[in-house]
Amino acid sequence: MSNIEQTLSIIKPDAIERNLQDKIKNEFKNNGFEIAKEKKIHISKQEAEQFYKVHETKPFYNDLCNYLSSGPIIVMALQKNNAVLDNRKLMGATNPKEAEEGTLRKKYGISIDKNSVHGSDSLDNAKIELEFFFKS
Ligand code: IDP
Ligand code: MG
């Protein structure tokens, strides 16, 4: 049965800085994702704080928001069957040191804070996060 979903993916500043965007986009395409929407933006700290609001009580919140607003990012709506879970699998664990071989964070991530990609963690959050960046 088909279960087409869209999930929000972000290529984070550390990956853009190292010019990895085409490689990472090809990884998505080669794994069956269609890039349904895409834009390159540079968000403010305030926007990063809104986006990561679920983490506002975490000790790393301030650094995280400074980081996501530190340079350009590419935000994408990725579409395929089971896109949310499949993207999380393709990304790998939050900490690149713990990520499985072949995953994006293992291949491209530098550290837990510079882990190259974001992906929505549930279908509900995907809808909220897509709306955040692609308000119609
Ligand atoms: P996720 O990106 O795998 O969903 P989350 O727990 O939602 O991971 O955390 C959001 C982002 O916050 C991570 O991608 C990572 O960049 C950063 N982060 C998470 N945990 C830590 C930490 O312990 N120290 C520093 N940064 C962290
Ligand atoms: Mg998360």
mmCIF file of all heavy atoms in Angstrom, residues 7-48:
data_model
loop_
_atom_site.group_PDB
_atom_site.id
_atom_site.type_symbol
_atom_site.label_atom_id
_atom_site.label_comp_id
_atom_site.label_asym_id
_atom_site.label_seq_id
_atom_site.Cartn_x
_atom_site.Cartn_y
_atom_site.Cartn_z
ATOM 1 N N THR A 7 8.331 15.223 4.314
ATOM 2 C CA THR A 7 9.028 15.533 5.554
ATOM 3 C C THR A 7 9.930 16.731 5.320
ATOM 4 O O THR A 7 10.332 16.993 4.188
ATOM 5 C CB THR A 7 9.840 14.311 6.048
ATOM 6 O OG1 THR A 7 10.335 14.547 7.356
ATOM 7 C CG2 THR A 7 11.005 13.978 5.128
ATOM 8 N N LEU A 8 10.231 17.466 6.385
ATOM 9 C CA LEU A 8 11.125 18.603 6.227
ATOM 10 C C LEU A 8 12.567 18.159 6.429
ATOM 11 O O LEU A 8 12.906 17.517 7.419
ATOM 12 C CB LEU A 8 10.828 19.722 7.233
ATOM 13 C CG LEU A 8 11.788 20.903 7.011
ATOM 14 C CD1 LEU A 8 11.298 21.806 5.907
ATOM 15 C CD2 LEU A 8 12.070 21.663 8.266
ATOM 16 N N SER A 9 13.406 18.522 5.457
ATOM 17 C CA SER A 9 14.843 18.286 5.572
ATOM 18 C C SER A 9 15.552 19.626 5.514
ATOM 19 O O SER A 9 15.137 20.518 4.779
ATOM 20 C CB SER A 9 15.302 17.397 4.415
ATOM 21 O OG SER A 9 16.715 17.338 4.376
ATOM 22 N N ILE A 10 16.593 19.758 6.315
ATOM 23 C CA ILE A 10 17.446 20.953 6.246
ATOM 24 C C ILE A 10 18.889 20.498 6.047
ATOM 25 O O ILE A 10 19.369 19.620 6.755
ATOM 26 C CB ILE A 10 17.383 21.794 7.540
ATOM 27 C CG1 ILE A 10 15.942 22.186 7.880
ATOM 28 C CG2 ILE A 10 18.256 23.047 7.407
ATOM 29 C CD1 ILE A 10 15.805 22.976 9.196
ATOM 30 N N ILE A 11 19.550 21.101 5.049
ATOM 31 C CA ILE A 11 21.007 20.971 4.951
ATOM 32 C C ILE A 11 21.568 22.133 5.771
ATOM 33 O O ILE A 11 21.331 23.299 5.472
ATOM 34 C CB ILE A 11 21.496 20.998 3.487
ATOM 35 C CG1 ILE A 11 20.796 19.893 2.680
ATOM 36 C CG2 ILE A 11 23.013 20.814 3.437
ATOM 37 C CD1 ILE A 11 21.172 19.858 1.199
ATOM 38 N N LYS A 12 22.245 21.781 6.868
ATOM 39 C CA LYS A 12 22.644 22.767 7.877
ATOM 40 C C LYS A 12 23.905 23.544 7.459
ATOM 41 O O LYS A 12 24.619 23.128 6.534
ATOM 42 C CB LYS A 12 22.871 22.034 9.206
ATOM 43 C CG LYS A 12 21.602 21.433 9.829
ATOM 44 C CD LYS A 12 21.928 20.803 11.185
ATOM 45 C CE LYS A 12 20.699 20.255 11.885
ATOM 46 N NZ LYS A 12 21.047 19.715 13.236
ATOM 47 N N PRO A 13 24.195 24.645 8.167
ATOM 48 C CA PRO A 13 25.307 25.525 7.761
ATOM 49 C C PRO A 13 26.651 24.822 7.587
ATOM 50 O O PRO A 13 27.419 25.176 6.667
ATOM 51 C CB PRO A 13 25.379 26.559 8.901
ATOM 52 C CG PRO A 13 23.985 26.634 9.420
ATOM 53 C CD PRO A 13 23.446 25.233 9.309
ATOM 54 N N ASP A 14 26.959 23.844 8.426
ATOM 55 C CA ASP A 14 28.286 23.200 8.307
ATOM 56 C C ASP A 14 28.453 22.473 6.978
ATOM 57 O O ASP A 14 29.552 22.415 6.419
ATOM 58 C CB ASP A 14 28.532 22.247 9.486
ATOM 59 C CG ASP A 14 27.632 21.028 9.460
ATOM 60 O OD1 ASP A 14 26.523 21.104 10.016
ATOM 61 O OD2 ASP A 14 28.009 19.986 8.884
ATOM 62 N N ALA A 15 27.343 21.937 6.449
ATOM 63 C CA ALA A 15 27.402 21.211 5.167
ATOM 64 C C ALA A 15 27.456 22.185 3.987
ATOM 65 O O ALA A 15 28.186 21.957 3.012
ATOM 66 C CB ALA A 15 26.209 20.268 5.037
ATOM 67 N N ILE A 16 26.705 23.268 4.087
ATOM 68 C CA ILE A 16 26.738 24.287 3.022
ATOM 69 C C ILE A 16 28.143 24.904 2.956
ATOM 70 O O ILE A 16 28.694 25.095 1.871
ATOM 71 C CB ILE A 16 25.697 25.403 3.290
ATOM 72 C CG1 ILE A 16 24.293 24.832 3.451
ATOM 73 C CG2 ILE A 16 25.764 26.477 2.198
ATOM 74 C CD1 ILE A 16 23.597 24.446 2.196
ATOM 75 N N GLU A 17 28.693 25.166 4.146
ATOM 76 C CA GLU A 17 30.042 25.745 4.232
ATOM 77 C C GLU A 17 31.079 24.887 3.513
ATOM 78 O O GLU A 17 32.022 25.392 2.918
ATOM 79 C CB GLU A 17 30.415 25.815 5.713
ATOM 80 C CG GLU A 17 31.219 27.001 6.148
ATOM 81 C CD GLU A 17 31.193 27.095 7.666
ATOM 82 O OE1 GLU A 17 31.920 26.306 8.312
ATOM 83 O OE2 GLU A 17 30.415 27.923 8.193
ATOM 84 N N ARG A 18 30.888 23.571 3.565
ATOM 85 C CA ARG A 18 31.828 22.650 2.907
ATOM 86 C C ARG A 18 31.357 22.256 1.513
ATOM 87 O O ARG A 18 31.879 21.324 0.906
ATOM 88 C CB ARG A 18 32.030 21.403 3.786
ATOM 89 C CG ARG A 18 32.861 21.690 5.033
ATOM 90 C CD ARG A 18 32.892 20.487 5.959
ATOM 91 N NE ARG A 18 31.602 20.289 6.608
ATOM 92 C CZ ARG A 18 31.095 19.098 6.941
ATOM 93 N NH1 ARG A 18 31.781 17.997 6.690
ATOM 94 N NH2 ARG A 18 29.918 19.031 7.515
ATOM 95 N N ASN A 19 30.333 22.964 1.024
ATOM 96 C CA ASN A 19 29.836 22.774 -0.337
ATOM 97 C C ASN A 19 29.336 21.350 -0.606
ATOM 98 O O ASN A 19 29.537 20.787 -1.682
ATOM 99 C CB ASN A 19 30.957 23.152 -1.333
ATOM 100 C CG ASN A 19 30.386 23.706 -2.625
ATOM 101 O OD1 ASN A 19 29.247 24.197 -2.651
ATOM 102 N ND2 ASN A 19 31.148 23.607 -3.693
ATOM 103 N N LEU A 20 28.658 20.776 0.385
ATOM 104 C CA LEU A 20 28.187 19.390 0.276
ATOM 105 C C LEU A 20 26.736 19.295 -0.214
ATOM 106 O O LEU A 20 26.182 18.194 -0.287
ATOM 107 C CB LEU A 20 28.290 18.710 1.648
ATOM 108 C CG LEU A 20 29.706 18.479 2.167
ATOM 109 C CD1 LEU A 20 29.680 18.026 3.629
ATOM 110 C CD2 LEU A 20 30.424 17.442 1.306
ATOM 111 N N GLN A 21 26.121 20.428 -0.563
ATOM 112 C CA GLN A 21 24.680 20.391 -0.846
ATOM 113 C C GLN A 21 24.320 19.489 -2.023
ATOM 114 O O GLN A 21 23.316 18.774 -1.948
ATOM 115 C CB GLN A 21 24.081 21.806 -1.020
ATOM 116 C CG GLN A 21 24.696 22.666 -2.082
ATOM 117 C CD GLN A 21 25.831 23.531 -1.529
ATOM 118 O OE1 GLN A 21 26.554 23.111 -0.628
ATOM 119 N NE2 GLN A 21 25.999 24.717 -2.056
ATOM 120 N N ASP A 22 25.124 19.506 -3.096
ATOM 121 C CA ASP A 22 24.762 18.668 -4.254
ATOM 122 C C ASP A 22 24.913 17.180 -3.925
ATOM 123 O O ASP A 22 24.077 16.356 -4.299
ATOM 124 C CB ASP A 22 25.609 19.038 -5.479
ATOM 125 C CG ASP A 22 25.219 20.415 -6.025
ATOM 126 O OD1 ASP A 22 24.122 20.903 -5.665
ATOM 127 O OD2 ASP A 22 26.011 21.003 -6.780
ATOM 128 N N LYS A 23 25.980 16.859 -3.201
ATOM 129 C CA LYS A 23 26.182 15.461 -2.776
ATOM 130 C C LYS A 23 25.010 14.985 -1.927
ATOM 131 O O LYS A 23 24.491 13.881 -2.107
ATOM 132 C CB LYS A 23 27.462 15.346 -1.938
ATOM 133 C CG LYS A 23 28.678 15.041 -2.747
ATOM 134 C CD LYS A 23 29.831 14.669 -1.832
ATOM 135 C CE LYS A 23 31.067 14.430 -2.688
ATOM 136 N NZ LYS A 23 32.306 14.543 -1.963
ATOM 137 N N ILE A 24 24.598 15.821 -0.979
ATOM 138 C CA ILE A 24 23.520 15.423 -0.071
ATOM 139 C C ILE A 24 22.190 15.331 -0.815
ATOM 140 O O ILE A 24 21.425 14.383 -0.622
ATOM 141 C CB ILE A 24 23.466 16.376 1.149
ATOM 142 C CG1 ILE A 24 24.728 16.172 2.001
ATOM 143 C CG2 ILE A 24 22.209 16.139 1.978
ATOM 144 C CD1 ILE A 24 24.879 17.106 3.195
ATOM 145 N N LYS A 25 21.937 16.272 -1.719
ATOM 146 C CA LYS A 25 20.697 16.203 -2.511
ATOM 147 C C LYS A 25 20.671 14.934 -3.359
ATOM 148 O O LYS A 25 19.622 14.295 -3.496
ATOM 149 C CB LYS A 25 20.554 17.449 -3.391
ATOM 150 C CG LYS A 25 20.015 18.641 -2.625
ATOM 151 C CD LYS A 25 19.587 19.742 -3.570
ATOM 152 C CE LYS A 25 20.552 20.900 -3.511
ATOM 153 N NZ LYS A 25 20.220 21.942 -4.498
ATOM 154 N N ASN A 26 21.833 14.553 -3.911
ATOM 155 C CA ASN A 26 21.892 13.305 -4.689
ATOM 156 C C ASN A 26 21.630 12.084 -3.820
ATOM 157 O O ASN A 26 21.021 11.116 -4.275
ATOM 158 C CB ASN A 26 23.245 13.167 -5.395
ATOM 159 C CG ASN A 26 23.287 13.984 -6.674
ATOM 160 O OD1 ASN A 26 22.249 14.190 -7.314
ATOM 161 N ND2 ASN A 26 24.453 14.472 -7.041
ATOM 162 N N GLU A 27 22.074 12.124 -2.575
ATOM 163 C CA GLU A 27 21.792 11.014 -1.658
ATOM 164 C C GLU A 27 20.272 10.844 -1.499
ATOM 165 O O GLU A 27 19.761 9.724 -1.511
ATOM 166 C CB GLU A 27 22.403 11.283 -0.274
ATOM 167 C CG GLU A 27 23.912 11.413 -0.278
ATOM 168 C CD GLU A 27 24.638 10.163 0.193
ATOM 169 O OE1 GLU A 27 23.975 9.102 0.327
ATOM 170 O OE2 GLU A 27 25.853 10.255 0.416
ATOM 171 N N PHE A 28 19.571 11.975 -1.344
ATOM 172 C CA PHE A 28 18.113 11.887 -1.210
ATOM 173 C C PHE A 28 17.512 11.293 -2.486
ATOM 174 O O PHE A 28 16.705 10.356 -2.425
ATOM 175 C CB PHE A 28 17.511 13.268 -0.905
ATOM 176 C CG PHE A 28 17.849 13.785 0.475
ATOM 177 C CD1 PHE A 28 18.386 15.053 0.655
ATOM 178 C CD2 PHE A 28 17.634 12.997 1.601
ATOM 179 C CE1 PHE A 28 18.699 15.522 1.925
ATOM 180 C CE2 PHE A 28 17.947 13.458 2.877
ATOM 181 C CZ PHE A 28 18.485 14.728 3.039
ATOM 182 N N LYS A 29 17.914 11.827 -3.639
ATOM 183 C CA LYS A 29 17.342 11.355 -4.910
ATOM 184 C C LYS A 29 17.656 9.874 -5.123
ATOM 185 O O LYS A 29 16.786 9.095 -5.530
ATOM 186 C CB LYS A 29 17.881 12.187 -6.079
ATOM 187 C CG LYS A 29 17.371 13.627 -6.067
ATOM 188 C CD LYS A 29 18.026 14.434 -7.187
ATOM 189 C CE LYS A 29 17.846 15.934 -6.968
ATOM 190 N NZ LYS A 29 18.812 16.730 -7.755
ATOM 191 N N ASN A 30 18.892 9.468 -4.837
ATOM 192 C CA ASN A 30 19.282 8.063 -5.032
ATOM 193 C C ASN A 30 18.567 7.119 -4.069
ATOM 194 O O ASN A 30 18.532 5.910 -4.288
ATOM 195 C CB ASN A 30 20.797 7.897 -4.850
ATOM 196 C CG ASN A 30 21.585 8.591 -5.934
ATOM 197 O OD1 ASN A 30 21.040 8.868 -7.012
ATOM 198 N ND2 ASN A 30 22.844 8.904 -5.671
ATOM 199 N N ASN A 31 18.024 7.680 -2.997
ATOM 200 C CA ASN A 31 17.272 6.862 -2.042
ATOM 201 C C ASN A 31 15.763 7.011 -2.214
ATOM 202 O O ASN A 31 14.991 6.701 -1.292
ATOM 203 C CB ASN A 31 17.710 7.194 -0.612
ATOM 204 C CG ASN A 31 19.046 6.544 -0.272
ATOM 205 O OD1 ASN A 31 19.100 5.374 0.087
ATOM 206 N ND2 ASN A 31 20.134 7.287 -0.445
ATOM 207 N N GLY A 32 15.358 7.499 -3.382
ATOM 208 C CA GLY A 32 13.941 7.481 -3.727
ATOM 209 C C GLY A 32 13.134 8.699 -3.306
ATOM 210 O O GLY A 32 11.909 8.714 -3.463
ATOM 211 N N PHE A 33 13.805 9.714 -2.774
ATOM 212 C CA PHE A 33 13.084 10.925 -2.369
ATOM 213 C C PHE A 33 12.979 11.881 -3.558
ATOM 214 O O PHE A 33 13.948 12.075 -4.294
ATOM 215 C CB PHE A 33 13.819 11.650 -1.234
ATOM 216 C CG PHE A 33 13.835 10.910 0.073
ATOM 217 C CD1 PHE A 33 14.850 10.002 0.358
ATOM 218 C CD2 PHE A 33 12.845 11.121 1.017
ATOM 219 C CE1 PHE A 33 14.882 9.314 1.561
ATOM 220 C CE2 PHE A 33 12.864 10.445 2.231
ATOM 221 C CZ PHE A 33 13.876 9.538 2.500
ATOM 222 N N GLU A 34 11.806 12.478 -3.678
ATOM 223 C CA GLU A 34 11.637 13.580 -4.623
ATOM 224 C C GLU A 34 11.764 14.880 -3.822
ATOM 225 O O GLU A 34 11.183 14.989 -2.735
ATOM 226 C CB GLU A 34 10.252 13.497 -5.271
ATOM 227 C CG GLU A 34 9.977 14.608 -6.261
ATOM 228 C CD GLU A 34 8.491 14.735 -6.585
ATOM 229 O OE1 GLU A 34 7.764 13.717 -6.467
ATOM 230 O OE2 GLU A 34 8.063 15.848 -6.931
ATOM 231 N N ILE A 35 12.540 15.820 -4.346
ATOM 232 C CA ILE A 35 12.633 17.127 -3.680
ATOM 233 C C ILE A 35 11.489 17.976 -4.212
ATOM 234 O O ILE A 35 11.574 18.586 -5.273
ATOM 235 C CB ILE A 35 14.014 17.783 -3.911
ATOM 236 C CG1 ILE A 35 15.120 16.849 -3.389
ATOM 237 C CG2 ILE A 35 14.080 19.151 -3.223
ATOM 238 C CD1 ILE A 35 16.545 17.318 -3.641
ATOM 239 N N ALA A 36 10.375 17.972 -3.459
ATOM 240 C CA ALA A 36 9.141 18.608 -3.942
ATOM 241 C C ALA A 36 9.215 20.129 -3.824
ATOM 242 O O ALA A 36 8.638 20.846 -4.642
ATOM 243 C CB ALA A 36 7.942 18.077 -3.152
ATOM 244 N N LYS A 37 9.906 20.611 -2.793
ATOM 245 C CA LYS A 37 10.111 22.053 -2.605
ATOM 246 C C LYS A 37 11.516 22.248 -2.082
ATOM 247 O O LYS A 37 12.054 21.377 -1.387
ATOM 248 C CB LYS A 37 9.128 22.611 -1.573
ATOM 249 C CG LYS A 37 7.688 22.587 -1.998
ATOM 250 C CD LYS A 37 6.795 23.110 -0.888
ATOM 251 C CE LYS A 37 5.334 22.868 -1.215
ATOM 252 N NZ LYS A 37 4.471 22.944 -0.027
ATOM 253 N N GLU A 38 12.062 23.406 -2.388
ATOM 254 C CA GLU A 38 13.438 23.661 -1.970
ATOM 255 C C GLU A 38 13.704 25.159 -1.977
ATOM 256 O O GLU A 38 13.274 25.862 -2.886
ATOM 257 C CB GLU A 38 14.377 22.982 -2.982
ATOM 258 C CG GLU A 38 15.828 23.289 -2.761
ATOM 259 C CD GLU A 38 16.725 22.688 -3.844
ATOM 260 O OE1 GLU A 38 16.236 21.964 -4.722
ATOM 261 O OE2 GLU A 38 17.925 22.989 -3.797
ATOM 262 N N LYS A 39 14.384 25.653 -0.955
ATOM 263 C CA LYS A 39 14.885 27.029 -1.017
ATOM 264 C C LYS A 39 16.098 27.195 -0.128
ATOM 265 O O LYS A 39 16.247 26.504 0.889
ATOM 266 C CB LYS A 39 13.790 28.050 -0.660
ATOM 267 C CG LYS A 39 13.225 27.939 0.732
ATOM 268 C CD LYS A 39 12.143 29.008 0.955
ATOM 269 C CE LYS A 39 11.533 28.855 2.329
ATOM 270 N NZ LYS A 39 10.430 29.787 2.591
ATOM 271 N N LYS A 40 16.975 28.100 -0.571
ATOM 272 C CA LYS A 40 18.166 28.436 0.215
ATOM 273 C C LYS A 40 17.861 29.729 0.955
ATOM 274 O O LYS A 40 17.458 30.718 0.342
ATOM 275 C CB LYS A 40 19.362 28.617 -0.717
ATOM 276 C CG LYS A 40 20.676 28.753 0.004
ATOM 277 C CD LYS A 40 21.834 28.820 -0.987
ATOM 278 C CE LYS A 40 23.171 28.816 -0.249
ATOM 279 N NZ LYS A 40 24.294 28.955 -1.199
ATOM 280 N N ILE A 41 18.034 29.710 2.274
ATOM 281 C CA ILE A 41 17.708 30.874 3.085
ATOM 282 C C ILE A 41 18.759 31.052 4.180
ATOM 283 O O ILE A 41 19.557 30.146 4.437
ATOM 284 C CB ILE A 41 16.305 30.739 3.755
ATOM 285 C CG1 ILE A 41 16.191 29.410 4.512
ATOM 286 C CG2 ILE A 41 15.193 30.871 2.723
ATOM 287 C CD1 ILE A 41 14.875 29.237 5.274
ATOM 288 N N HIS A 42 18.732 32.225 4.801
ATOM 289 C CA HIS A 42 19.581 32.473 5.972
ATOM 290 C C HIS A 42 18.649 33.017 7.048
ATOM 291 O O HIS A 42 18.197 34.152 6.956
ATOM 292 C CB HIS A 42 20.688 33.470 5.610
ATOM 293 C CG HIS A 42 21.721 33.637 6.678
ATOM 294 N ND1 HIS A 42 22.981 34.129 6.433
ATOM 295 C CD2 HIS A 42 21.672 33.365 8.009
ATOM 296 C CE1 HIS A 42 23.675 34.157 7.577
ATOM 297 N NE2 HIS A 42 22.904 33.698 8.534
ATOM 298 N N ILE A 43 18.334 32.193 8.039
ATOM 299 C CA ILE A 43 17.325 32.591 9.030
ATOM 300 C C ILE A 43 17.961 33.402 10.164
ATOM 301 O O ILE A 43 19.160 33.323 10.405
ATOM 302 C CB ILE A 43 16.542 31.380 9.592
ATOM 303 C CG1 ILE A 43 17.458 30.399 10.329
ATOM 304 C CG2 ILE A 43 15.762 30.683 8.483
ATOM 305 C CD1 ILE A 43 16.701 29.305 11.081
ATOM 306 N N SER A 44 17.123 34.175 10.850
ATOM 307 C CA SER A 44 17.576 34.967 11.994
ATOM 308 C C SER A 44 17.641 34.065 13.229
ATOM 309 O O SER A 44 17.053 32.978 13.261
ATOM 310 C CB SER A 44 16.600 36.106 12.246
ATOM 311 O OG SER A 44 15.345 35.583 12.645
ATOM 312 N N LYS A 45 18.320 34.555 14.247
ATOM 313 C CA LYS A 45 18.370 33.801 15.507
ATOM 314 C C LYS A 45 16.951 33.608 16.060
ATOM 315 O O LYS A 45 16.620 32.528 16.561
ATOM 316 C CB LYS A 45 19.236 34.535 16.533
ATOM 317 C CG LYS A 45 19.172 33.865 17.896
ATOM 318 C CD LYS A 45 20.469 33.756 18.586
ATOM 319 C CE LYS A 45 20.343 32.916 19.844
ATOM 320 N NZ LYS A 45 21.215 33.375 20.916
ATOM 321 N N GLN A 46 16.143 34.647 15.932
ATOM 322 C CA GLN A 46 14.762 34.581 16.431
ATOM 323 C C GLN A 46 13.966 33.465 15.726
ATOM 324 O O GLN A 46 13.214 32.726 16.367
ATOM 325 C CB GLN A 46 14.092 35.923 16.171
ATOM 326 C CG GLN A 46 13.103 36.307 17.222
ATOM 327 C CD GLN A 46 12.481 37.678 16.914
ATOM 328 O OE1 GLN A 46 12.755 38.303 15.886
ATOM 329 N NE2 GLN A 46 11.627 38.130 17.803
ATOM 330 N N GLU A 47 14.156 33.344 14.424
ATOM 331 C CA GLU A 47 13.473 32.271 13.678
ATOM 332 C C GLU A 47 13.989 30.902 14.110
ATOM 333 O O GLU A 47 13.211 29.949 14.244
ATOM 334 C CB GLU A 47 13.669 32.464 12.169
ATOM 335 C CG GLU A 47 12.898 33.640 11.612
ATOM 336 C CD GLU A 47 13.278 33.961 10.173
ATOM 337 O OE1 GLU A 47 14.476 34.168 9.894
ATOM 338 O OE2 GLU A 47 12.366 34.008 9.326
ATOM 339 N N ALA A 48 15.300 30.793 14.338
ATOM 340 C CA ALA A 48 15.871 29.520 14.803
ATOM 341 C C ALA A 48 15.287 29.152 16.169
ATOM 342 O O ALA A 48 14.966 27.990 16.431
ATOM 343 C CB ALA A 48 17.392 29.633 14.862
#
